[in-house]
Amino acid sequence: MSQQQWIKTTCPYCGTGCGVEAKLNGNAKVEVRGDSSHPANLGLLCSKGAALGDTLSNEGRLRYALVKGHQEPLDKALSYVASRLSQTLGEHGPDSVAFYVSGQLLTEDYYVANKLIKGFLGSANIDSNSRLCMSSAVAGHKRAFGEDVVPGSYEDLEHAELVTLVGSNLAWCHPIVYQRLKRAKLANPKLKVVVIDPRRTDSCDIADLHLAVNGGTDVALFNGLFAYLSEHGKLDQRYLQQHTEGFEPALAAAKQDAAQLSQLAEQCGIEPEALLRFYQMFADTERCVSVFSQGVNQSAQGVDKVNAIINCHLATGKIGKLGASAFSITGQPNAMGGREVGALANLLAGHLDYQPEHLAALEAFWNSPNLARRPGVKAVDMFAKVASGEIKAIWIMGTNPAVSLPESAKVREALLACPLVVVSDCIAQTDTTRYADVLLPAAGWGERDGMVTNSERMLSRQRAFIAPQGDTKPDWYLLSQVAKKMGFAEAFAYQSSAEIFSEHAALSGLLADAKQRKFDISALSGLSKANYDALLPQRWPVNGQAQDTRSLFSDGQFCTASGKAQLIAVNYQASASSCSGDYPLLLNTGRVRDHWHTMTRTGLAAKLSSHISEPMLEINPADAASYGLADGELVVVNSQQGELRVRLKLDSGQKRGHLFMPIHWSKQFSSDGVVSQLVNNIVDPISGQPESKYTAVNLRPWDYASEAVLLSASALSLSQCQALPAKYWVKQKLDDGFIYRLADKQSPQALAAALKAFLLQQGQWQSIDFADPIKQQYRSALVVAGELFASYMVTAKGEINSSAWLESLLQQPMSDNIRRGVLAGTSPAADLGKIVCSCHQVREQTIRDVIDQHDCSSAEQVGSYCKAGTNCGSCVPELKRMIKLSQVS
Ligand SMILES: Nc1nc2c(c(=O)[nH]1)N[C@H]1C(S)=C(S)[C@@H](COP(=O)(O)OP(=O)(O)OC[C@H]3O[C@@H](n4cnc5c(=O)[nH]c(N)nc54)[C@H](O)[C@@H]3O)O[C@H]1N2
Ligand SMILES: Nc1nc2c(c(=O)[nH]1)N[C@H]1C(S)=C(S)[C@@H](COP(=O)(O)OP(=O)(O)OC[C@H]3O[C@@H](n4cnc5c(=O)[nH]c(N)nc54)[C@H](O)[C@@H]3O)O[C@H]1N2
Ligand code: SF4
Ligand SMILES: [Mo]
């Protein structure tokens, strides 16, 4: 492999599945750019994709295997895993072992994990973090279409005249799909966009209508639409007759929820006129696409929500046509691949089900000695069984459940008590690797090779372009070695991902005639390694028949026994976790623009860490006022599951009574940021997906006395600092070090003394100090040989306005400058504020200055002066808000 050539691969983040080109430059740094030949993104990348090179540092990398904390040769560690798994199986049977896997594994890793546990260990206890993500969509698709099929493709957006985003913040979570939508809207002024989301998100920037619904009310809203369509003669009777079943009971149920528009609107928390306007838009537009994501799936009624949406599309025949589709947009880069290989407890493999004919075919195909014959446990139950001791060995790969599962404190306790916890990861220290008896070094993005499938069923290759570090190996290799050591050498003799993919493709053709299965890529089985390596992105099915894969079900033939789609009778139910006197507020959780999940990768990039540098709790200003709380204050938020401290952010885009907190901060980055410790583990009864968007909570002030900003050239273990009893802290990566934000109950003077004592424990440093006891300001720099090691400023609660001068110290080698900085508490460099445009690193103040100086009235104008917003466009909504603000003031 030549290191200097651009290698085509795929972005490892969201389900958009953008094509990326990467290469090593002369300084051993990885450069990336968008792949203009990839059909998903045509060369565009968002801020996270563009910063991929910055996340490939050696920092914190897991390079070698560890058994009980001691480094071991990989082969020895794998032997240990094999013997402990065999022993557990022998003593306690197949139900005592479990694999918890991830939509970030490649298809080949996923396939081998599923084959090993279901086909050879005899247990179906394999579940994926996709349970927390896509499982309601999977179940909804199966109920409606007979198979888990996303009917549409991104091209639908370019052909639609109404795109409704339901519980999807596309602008931040699928930025390149959002850019496609935005461009489509510019090209076709008839295209209307509706956003259904309790929050006013950046996706509302291009919305013609925003329905700020009460959390959890989508079934009622779509039932109302169904009833409206019926009442106004807008159903497609011919389509219903020829291609569907279940119409009458589904409509009757819908009508029960929708007796009166005014009542319905009140239940949904919106104006009747707005609701009516949406209903009219849907009724009067032929080509409608409803894009839905976690605001739909992550609900105790997630599957019903999915079917309530699909019902409206089926009843109007708005499906299976370019520009007309119900479009579940997947979260992770290979969530779809995981569904193909069946690595969820209730799926088998290759879209086969637990039924005798399918089991027999799979058993023969795998030559399986011990095929699991019934579904295993789903994620939340899996960890409950780990806690109760029924599961005694768990292998976690490519996911961080100590942060991402609901009631995360209980998950941590379960892992602590489990006799065997194996974790494969690329990063040595995560909240989950802490609990590992065996840590296996997994090859990461750039080092591994395989297939992913994006939201629109597009298979794309991830290709390696850097050498693996230390003993790191792809997950399929780790799994195959353990399988061999457990006595299954023949079935796991894989030498390459190409061989595994070929087997997976062949399996997808099993029983192809017996069922109208859409997932069939059997034409790709038997690909040579060279052809696999050269494979161009393509959408399934790939079964040797010429067909247009952009819109499936265009012939009105579905995958059910009758060939007809099913309308499902669903009724709105209030959430099981209701807001009441003790917990009057609804906590919603989700994502921010520049971070990915538990930050193990995006947290390494300074570029991505500045847009939002601290976890925050967003609240409507009127709610904050009624609690007597101010913007920027640290507060305590508590639920029945636990409590944490978080910085309050007033945001008029929040609905009254609703709060929002991001999911990204783990214990590696903060003392209190793990929001899942508050989230209840109520799940959808069909899909088992947790209701991550809905937890009843309460709020109160936190009485702290002092705050600090601490700069350090190297990472510090603040959680170990005994002198900080309250220990609120958050860590942020900078280019040359780290910045910590702290708060404490001690006086500023005591906090300053505690910090100094802690820092002096780290080495023999000379300190330069400033103290103003009247103003309660304390500043200090610790220097050795003219080099800054750490510096901090401490003030009373709420008095820290900026940390810019501290950050600027890192770039100054001269101790005189440092001394001046500490004494003055100001920086020679101006405070430019947070980064707004990550791609071009443009900060807030620069943008404000440009707006003022040039009297800008559009984001394009701002971009022409300072480049902000001119690459991925994700910050354009923020630029527009800044322009609006400047016009008001
Ligand atoms: N930047 C970034 N992008 C990502 C990810 C990331 O970590 N960071 N993760 C990826 C993954 S795995 C996923 S699954 C996707 C998720 O992508 P999205 O689903 O778009 O993201 P979320 O922020 O989880 O939630 C979407 C919206 O649902 C709204 N919502 C909450 N409750 C309700 C409700 O009851 N009804 C309705 N209609 N809306 C509601 C929330 O307010 C939120 O704005 O993002 C992917 N892309
Ligand atoms: N409250 C709340 N909770 C949520 C959500 C929410 O909206 N609200 N969203 C849920 C959703 S949709 C999702 S998808 C989950 C995501 O949650 P997680 O899957 O737990 O989050 P990640 O940080 O993506 O974890 C991936 C881990 O895999 C490691 N890794 C990366 N590449 C590889 C590899 O090639 N091999 C191996 N073995 N490891 C690798 C990373 O270092 C990291 O530790 O969170 C869920 N939890
Ligand atoms: S939209 Fe961004 S994060 Fe998602 S695949 Fe494309 S570049 Fe990666
Ligand atoms: Mo997800």
Side-chain angles (χ1 to χ4, degrees), residues 98-102 105 127 382-383 386 393-402 405 411 415 418 420-425 430 432-433 435-436 438-440 442 475:
F99 289 176
Y100 186 55
V101 297
S102 163
L105 296 178
D127 216 38
M382 181 182 280
F383 282 84
V386 173
I394 187 165
W395 186 345
I396 297 165
M397 39 198 121
T399 176
N400 196 354
L405 271 173
V411 171
L415 288 174
C418 185
L420 178 67
V421 178
V422 181
V423 179
S424 5
D425 208 291
T430 74
T432 301
T433 59
Y435 300 96
V438 184
L439 251 180
L440 298 173
D475 293 278

Side-chain angles (χ1 to χ4, degrees), residues 11-18 44-50 173-177:
C11 175
Y13 296 126
C14 83
T16 304
C18 295
L44 293 173
L45 290 181
C46 77
S47 51
K48 293 182 297 301
C173 297
H174 299 89
I176 300 304
V177 181

Side-chain angles (χ1 to χ4, degrees), residues 6-287:
W6 289 102
I7 304 283
K8 284 184 194 295
T9 181
T10 314
C11 175
Y13 296 126
C14 83
T16 304
C18 295
V20 171
E21 291 181 319
K23 72 168 183 183
L24 265 184
N25 70 17
N27 306 322
K29 270 219 74 162
V30 172
E31 282 180 54
V32 300
R33 65 181 187 196
D35 175 359
S36 53
S37 67
H38 197 289
N41 59 317
L42 304 169
L44 293 173
L45 290 181
C46 77
S47 51
K48 293 182 297 301
L52 271 165
D54 296 9
T55 63
L56 294 176
S57 71
N58 297 335
E59 210 175 295
R61 205 41 222 281
L62 176 65
R63 292 193 196 81
Y64 298 97
L66 297 172
V67 178
K68 305 252 177 231
H70 298 290
Q71 188 174 318
E72 294 285 1
L74 182 61
D75 192 59
K76 201 169 160 201
L78 293 170
S79 297
Y80 180 79
V81 174
S83 78
R84 289 290 308 272
L85 285 177
S86 297
Q87 185 194 355
T88 310
L89 284 166
E91 287 171 13
H92 306 285
D95 289 346
S96 65
V97 299
F99 289 176
Y100 186 55
V101 297
S102 163
Q104 291 163 75
L105 296 178
L106 303 185
T107 299
E108 294 78 1
D109 305 318
Y110 241 146
Y111 178 84
V112 175
N114 192 51
K115 177 177 176 183
L116 173 60
I117 192 161
K118 287 199 186 121
F120 291 79
L121 308 189
S123 168
N125 284 347
I126 175 166
D127 216 38
S128 162
N129 62 359
S130 283
R131 180 69 58 199
L132 319 175
C133 180
M134 306 313 308
S135 58
S136 294
V138 172
H141 289 154
K142 287 182 90 164
R143 285 209 298 192
F145 309 140
E147 186 181 346
D148 172 25
V149 174
V150 171
S153 65
Y154 298 151
E155 274 188 50
D156 283 328
L157 303 175
E158 280 119 29
H159 290 86
E161 296 199 321
L162 173 65
V163 174
T164 308
L165 303 180
V166 197
S168 152
N169 184 7
L170 207 67
W172 280 12
C173 297
H174 299 89
I176 300 304
V177 181
Y178 177 79
Q179 291 307 322
R180 281 184 76 157
L181 175 60
K182 192 172 163 182
R183 284 176 189 200
K185 198 165 189 293
L186 280 175
N188 175 14
K190 272 168 95 188
L191 168 56
K192 298 281 178 272
V193 174
V194 176
V195 174
I196 304 179
D197 191 313
R199 302 189 297 149
R200 190 169 66 232
T201 62
D202 270 8
S203 303
C204 296
D205 187 48
I206 56 165
D208 299 280
L209 178 65
H210 171 213
L211 301 179
V213 288
N214 283 333
T217 54
D218 305 78
V219 170
L221 187 142
F222 280 89
N223 270 349
L225 172 59
F226 191 4
Y228 176 93
L229 294 166
S230 159
E231 258 167 52
H232 292 80
K234 299 287 186 177
L235 301 176
D236 184 338
Q237 297 294 352
R238 198 191 58 84
Y239 192 88
L240 279 167
Q241 193 92 46
Q242 290 180 356
H243 302 300
T244 74
E245 289 170 342
F247 166 69
E248 273 163 20
L251 180 61
K255 282 183 171 165
Q256 279 170 12
D257 278 358
Q260 266 198 334
L261 186 81
S262 56
Q263 253 176 14
L264 186 63
E266 195 184 327
Q267 190 166 45
C268 296
I270 48 184
E271 293 299 320
E273 296 74 27
L275 195 59
L276 199 58
R277 201 171 145 219
F278 168 57
Y279 289 173
Q280 283 164 345
M281 284 162 97
F282 191 97
D284 296 338
T285 312
E286 203 177 317
R287 281 174 289 148

